[in-house]
């Protein structure tokens, strides 16, 4: 046992979603990773319910479970509080290998739980009403907490990928899903079964004192993939919002479903910033709202109408600065930009 292991960590930066997932975390993490400043990129929660889209040298890549570090040849850890479906994992590894990426940098914690076939069947049969991604996530975490699951260490197929559980240098943690899908914070039971907020990242095995920056990913409008009474079906009848779906390409990476789309709820965004400890907020898809030409958001549960993209950005900035004391940087990001 390496009893001093944690002390060799210089710092940990975290990127988390502040909304319901699909806030361009993949893009942010792969950009941060390409800086050459990180020794590890780690996923701390979830399984292949996540869908990350990454653009590299003009080419589009999609991953579900392997952290974005693989695109920069950085050791990429699937953490102990993740769940992994071996068949889907091997498919993804094959896809990455075919595209010239180094699979040797992919590592899995010995304690990562295995999604089994019956978990996927149970998810489809019992949890359809929650609009899950049908990847067996809830049944697998259920078995983990009932202490009858199977872990990566029990699974001979995965032996060559098992991580030695050491971290050092600079660590980047890659969130999956978003704040409002967290098992403790979201609109239960319309949540996922893991901790999507940075407190969960400590499960990777570093002391909380090592956390430096927390990058919070948001979008300039809200989207929800899957069922949630806070995003009623009637949103699909709103012409302006459906235009937003079309311009923004709001179709799920993992499920292919239309994401229910609504104007930004700034109260929820401020809450998520404060609870997650966000220091740097990145608000993406500004160009999509600009192209739509309608500048609305919810504040104090009322619709606020603004006249231009600049007015909208100023409104958001002013409210974040005055309500989120931990936030030091606000970045507005356009779809075609890096960050
Ligand atoms: P599960 O994680 O498959 O159990 O799905 C639970 C809920 O979380 C469903 O409403 C899903 O649509 C949603 N969800 C899970 N993962 C993601 C994600 O990566 N992006 C967006 N929504 C997600
Ligand atoms: Mg996604």
């Amino acid at each position: 046992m390496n009893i001093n292991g944690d002390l060799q960590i210089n710092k940990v930066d975290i990127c988390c979603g502040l909304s319901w997932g699909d806030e361009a975390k993949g893009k942010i993490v792969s950009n941060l990773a390409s800086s050459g400043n990180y020794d590890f990129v780690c996923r701390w929660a979830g399984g292949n319910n996540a869908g990350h889209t990454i653009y590299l040298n003009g080419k589009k890549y999609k991953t579900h479970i392997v952290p974005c570090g693989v695109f920069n040849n950085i050791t990429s850890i699937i953490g102990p509080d993740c769940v992994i479906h071996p068949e889907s994992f091997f498919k993804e590894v094959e896809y990455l290998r075919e595209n010239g990426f180094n699979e040797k940098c992919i590592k899995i914690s010995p304690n990562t739980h295995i999604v089994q076939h019956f978990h996927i069947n149970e998810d489809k049969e019992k949890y359809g009403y929650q609009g899950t991604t049908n990847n067996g996530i809830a049944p697998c975490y259920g078995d983990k907490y009932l202490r009858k699951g199977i872990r990566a260490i029990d699974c001979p197929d995965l032996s060559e990928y098992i991580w030695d559980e050491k971290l050092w240098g600079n660590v980047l943690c890659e969130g999956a899903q978003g704040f409002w899908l967290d098992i403790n914070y979201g609109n239960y039971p319309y949540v996922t079964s893991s901790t999507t907020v940075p407190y969960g990242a400590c499960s990777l095995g570093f002391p909380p004192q090592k956390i430096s920056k927390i990058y919070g990913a948001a979008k300039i409008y809200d989207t929800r993939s899957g069922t949630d009474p806070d995003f009623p079906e009637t949103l699909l009848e709103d012409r302006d919002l459906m235009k937003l779906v079309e311009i923004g390409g709001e179709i799920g990476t993992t499920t292919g479903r239309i994401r229910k789309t609504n104007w930004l709820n700034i109260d929820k965004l401020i809450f998520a910033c404060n609870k997650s400890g966000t220091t740097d907020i990145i608000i993406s898809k500004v160009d999509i709202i600009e192209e739509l030409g309608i500048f609305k958001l919810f504040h104090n549960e009322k619709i606020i109408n603004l006249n231009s993209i600049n007015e909208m950005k100023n409104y958001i900035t002013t409210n974040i600065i005055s309500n989120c004391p931990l936030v030091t940087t606000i970045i507005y990001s356009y779809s075609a930009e890096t960050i």
Side-chain angles (χ1 to χ4, degrees):
M1 186 185 278
N2 173 13
I3 57 168
N4 293 319
D6 295 342
L7 301 179
Q8 294 167 16
I9 297 170
N10 178 41
K11 66 156 184 174
V12 177
D13 290 338
I14 298 177
C15 175
C16 67
L18 295 174
S19 312
W20 291 263
D22 311 311
E23 315 97 338
K25 292 181 296 294
K27 178 170 156 179
I28 296 165
V29 173
S30 58
N31 269 294
L32 288 168
S34 69
S35 66
N37 290 338
Y38 296 100
D39 301 290
F40 293 90
V41 178
C42 313
R43 266 278 298 270
W44 77 81
N48 60 343
N49 48 347
H52 285 172
T53 310
I54 287 112
Y55 292 87
L56 210 71
N57 305 324
K59 204 174 161 201
K60 182 174 176 175
Y61 299 98
K62 281 184 185 184
T63 55
H64 296 285
I65 184 71
V66 175
C68 299
V70 71
F71 295 108
N72 290 286
N73 207 15
I74 301 172
T75 306
S76 294
I77 311 282
I78 297 168
D81 215 7
C82 292
V83 295
I84 189 167
H85 179 242
E87 223 175 287
S88 317
F89 168 74
F90 288 122
K91 243 195 218 162
E92 199 163 303
V93 169
E94 181 58 31
Y95 161 80
L96 290 165
R97 192 190 300 132
E98 277 170 8
N99 281 285
F101 299 106
N102 176 14
E103 69 182 274
K104 297 269 183 308
C105 65
I106 305 168
K107 295 286 166 203
I108 305 168
S109 162
N111 292 334
T112 305
H113 273 251
I114 303 296
V115 178
Q116 300 174 75
H117 280 301
F118 61 85
H119 289 141
I120 296 174
N121 292 338
E122 193 184 337
D123 198 9
K124 287 181 184 158
E125 283 160 20
K126 291 197 190 157
Y127 304 106
Y129 75 98
Q130 291 177 10
T132 74
T133 63
N134 283 338
N135 283 302
I137 304 299
C140 182
Y141 277 105
D143 278 354
K144 169 174 174 163
Y145 284 94
L146 285 167
R147 304 194 297 261
K148 58 181 189 145
I150 291 180
R151 295 172 301 159
I153 193 71
D154 308 317
C155 202
D157 297 0
L158 296 172
S159 55
E160 64 176 296
Y161 294 97
I162 295 295
W163 175 41
D164 63 6
E165 300 180 276
K166 289 180 188 143
L167 290 172
W168 67 86
N170 296 329
V171 178
L172 178 60
C173 299
E174 168 181 318
Q177 292 85 38
F179 185 92
W180 296 105
L181 290 174
D182 182 89
I183 184 85
N184 295 306
Y185 286 116
N187 187 14
Y188 191 92
Y190 304 98
V191 292
T192 191
S193 299
S194 60
T195 55
T196 65
V197 182
Y199 70 92
C202 292
S203 61
L204 287 158
F206 56 80
Q209 286 89 339
K210 296 285 178 185
I211 299 172
S212 175
K213 277 183 176 291
I214 297 184
Y215 295 92
K219 256 190 333 211
I220 200 157
Y221 53 89
D222 287 339
T223 58
R224 176 68 159 98
S225 154
T227 309
D228 187 335
D230 286 348
F231 284 76
E233 298 292 317
T234 49
L235 292 171
L236 299 173
E237 291 158 19
D238 184 301
R239 276 183 47 197
D240 293 342
L241 292 172
M242 285 310 282
K243 247 194 227 161
L244 203 46
V245 168
E246 201 183 302
I247 305 170
E250 295 301 343
I251 313 281
T253 316
T254 300
T255 56
R257 300 177 294 199
I258 289 188
R259 297 175 183 144
K260 272 162 223 130
T261 298
N262 209 344
W263 311 112
L264 175 71
N265 185 322
I266 198 171
D267 303 309
K268 281 201 145 89
L269 181 61
I270 288 168
F271 186 92
C273 271
N274 288 334
K275 290 281 179 189
S276 62
T278 292
T279 56
D280 296 53
I281 175 168
I282 297 119
I283 302 175
S284 66
K285 287 201 155 176
V286 173
D287 50 315
I288 305 297
I289 277 281
E290 206 171 357
E291 190 177 334
L292 179 73
I294 300 171
F295 311 100
K296 289 187 185 183
L297 49 79
F298 286 99
H299 192 193
N300 295 325
E301 285 157 34
K302 281 201 234 27
I303 283 261
I304 307 288
N305 282 288
L306 298 150
N307 293 314
S308 67
I309 193 67
N310 283 340
E311 229 182 72
M312 187 165 180
K313 288 203 284 193
N314 286 342
Y315 193 95
I316 295 170
T317 300
T318 308
N319 279 285
I320 289 178
I321 289 175
S322 53
N323 292 292
C324 304
L326 299 173
V327 172
T328 56
T329 309
I330 303 172
I331 295 170
Y332 290 91
S333 154
Y334 288 71
S335 306
E337 284 173 356
T338 42
I339 321 188

